[in-house]
């Protein structure tokens, strides 16, 4: 009996010791995790701050191509020749990528430097110019600023382009104390052929003008001339019909 009790006591003590050993290991693991966690968080926070530091605000792209042909299909590509003027002593005129004081500065021009006046922004405060780096304009229209381009388009010639403040550009022959005041851009004119059909000449003509006026409105233009109408009959007898044709001219 005493041997049995002693054996049971030994077993109980072994079990108690095992439990205490397991509880001790678990407590140590918890403390280890508690010590490690702030380090990981701090590391992640540092990486986040580093990533934020690397993010820079994107610059706004203010570039704008200088256009030619804004005076209409029958005018020169550029409006004329002007000169840099009204600068303070030893000052230069900034040439920028777009019609905005925040646009990137790409060049500078000295007082009295000649330029082709080709474009303007909506409020007329900035002038789009074509020029040469040597400070002179060619005598043979190398810049292709005097040719007829037919329609408004970005300049694609061999010379330099940029935007300058209109306060510091004057047309050649004008008093240099007066800044350049651009004229309103001329409207561009367009043409198209129209036709209308009907059971009589009157019906065909009315349908012709209905279609022509409708297309002009769809194009966002204003009718300038409906042209000279011609009408012809087609078919015979009960199948007789009429067709009327003309050439519309509109502007916008």
């Amino acid at each position: 009996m005493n041997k049995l009790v002693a054996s049971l006591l030994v077993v109980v003590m072994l079990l108690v010791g095992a439990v205490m050993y397991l509880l001790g290991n678990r407590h140590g693991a918890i403390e280890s995790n508690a010590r490690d966690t702030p380090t990981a968080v701090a590391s992640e926070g540092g990486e986040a701050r580093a990533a934020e530091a690397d993010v820079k605000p994107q610059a706004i792209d203010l570039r704008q191509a200088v256009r030619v042909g804004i005076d209409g299909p029958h005018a020169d590509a550029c409006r004329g020749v002007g000169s840099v003027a009204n600068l303070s002593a030893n000052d230069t005129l900034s040439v920028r990528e777009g019609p905005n004081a925040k646009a990137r500065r790409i060049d500078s021009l000295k007082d009295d430097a000649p330029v082709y006046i080709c474009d303007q922004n909506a409020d007329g405060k900035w002038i789009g110019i074509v020029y040469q780096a040597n400070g002179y304009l060619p005598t043979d229209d190398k810049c292709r600023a005097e040719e007829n381009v037919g329609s408004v388009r970005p300049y694609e010639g061999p010379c330099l382009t940029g935007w300058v403040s209109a306060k510091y550009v004057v047309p050649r022959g004008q008093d240099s104390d007066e800044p350049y005041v651009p004229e309103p851009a001329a409207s561009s004119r367009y043409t198209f052929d129209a036709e209308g059909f009907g059971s009589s000449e009157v019906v065909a003509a009315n349908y012709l003008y209905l279609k022509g006026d409708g297309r002009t409105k769809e194009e966002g233009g204003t009718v300038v001339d409906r042209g000279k109408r011609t009408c012809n009959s087609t078919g015979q007898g009960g199948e007789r019909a009429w067709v009327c044709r003309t050439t519309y001219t509109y502007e916008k």
Side-chain angles (χ1 to χ4, degrees):
M1 182 67 180
N2 291 336
K3 290 182 178 181
L4 178 61
V5 172
S7 298
L8 291 174
L9 289 174
V10 170
V11 171
V12 170
M13 292 178 65
L14 289 174
L15 290 175
V16 171
V19 170
M20 294 298 293
Y21 176 77
L22 291 175
L23 289 175
N25 284 346
R26 182 180 179 188
H27 181 69
I30 293 173
E31 290 181 348
S32 176
N33 288 337
R35 288 192 300 269
D36 293 343
T37 299
T39 303
V41 172
S43 177
E44 292 174 1
E47 291 177 359
R49 287 191 294 272
E52 291 175 357
D54 290 339
V55 176
K56 297 179 180 179
Q58 295 183 349
I60 300 175
D61 189 355
L62 299 173
R63 288 178 298 177
Q64 183 172 314
V66 173
R67 304 170 301 166
V68 293
I70 65 173
D71 278 336
H74 305 296
D76 291 344
C78 292
R79 292 185 150 186
V81 176
S83 300
V84 176
N86 306 322
L87 297 177
S88 302
N90 301 320
D91 201 359
T92 58
L93 177 61
S94 296
V95 181
R96 300 188 180 277
E97 286 185 329
N100 192 302
K102 295 182 180 179
R104 189 170 72 92
R105 184 174 181 266
I106 56 176
D107 205 349
S108 63
L109 298 173
K110 296 180 180 180
D111 190 50
D112 204 39
V115 297
Y116 287 109
I117 299 172
C118 305
D119 200 358
Q120 67 185 74
N121 71 330
D123 61 14
K125 294 182 179 180
W126 291 85
I127 303 298
I129 62 170
V130 170
Y131 66 101
Q132 288 199 129
N134 61 10
Y136 299 93
L137 293 183
T139 57
D140 57 356
D141 195 28
K142 170 187 173 183
C143 291
R144 293 161 49 192
E146 299 176 17
E147 64 182 24
N148 188 302
V149 294
S151 62
V152 180
R153 65 187 65 182
Y155 174 75
E156 297 178 345
C159 295
L160 303 174
T161 66
W163 293 86
V164 296
S165 173
K167 295 187 296 183
Y168 303 104
V169 177
V170 297
R172 282 292 173 92
Q174 178 178 303
D175 186 352
S176 62
D177 291 333
E178 301 177 7
Y180 174 60
V181 180
E183 299 176 358
S187 300
S188 297
R189 293 194 174 190
Y190 306 87
T191 61
F192 65 89
D193 294 327
E195 62 181 11
F197 299 90
S199 57
S200 68
E201 181 176 359
V202 173
V203 173
N206 287 337
Y207 187 48
L208 166 71
Y209 294 134
L210 181 65
K211 289 178 62 179
D213 290 356
R215 176 173 172 178
T216 301
K217 185 176 180 180
E218 290 177 359
E219 296 288 342
T222 303
V223 175
V224 176
D225 184 15
R226 291 184 173 85
K228 185 178 180 180
R229 186 186 75 217
T230 59
C231 296
N232 298 298
S233 61
T234 62
Q236 296 180 350
E239 298 180 356
R240 187 184 181 93
W242 287 81
V243 57
C244 294
R245 297 182 176 88
T246 189
T247 298
Y248 262 71
T249 301
Y250 70 95
E251 66 180 15
K252 64 177 182 178

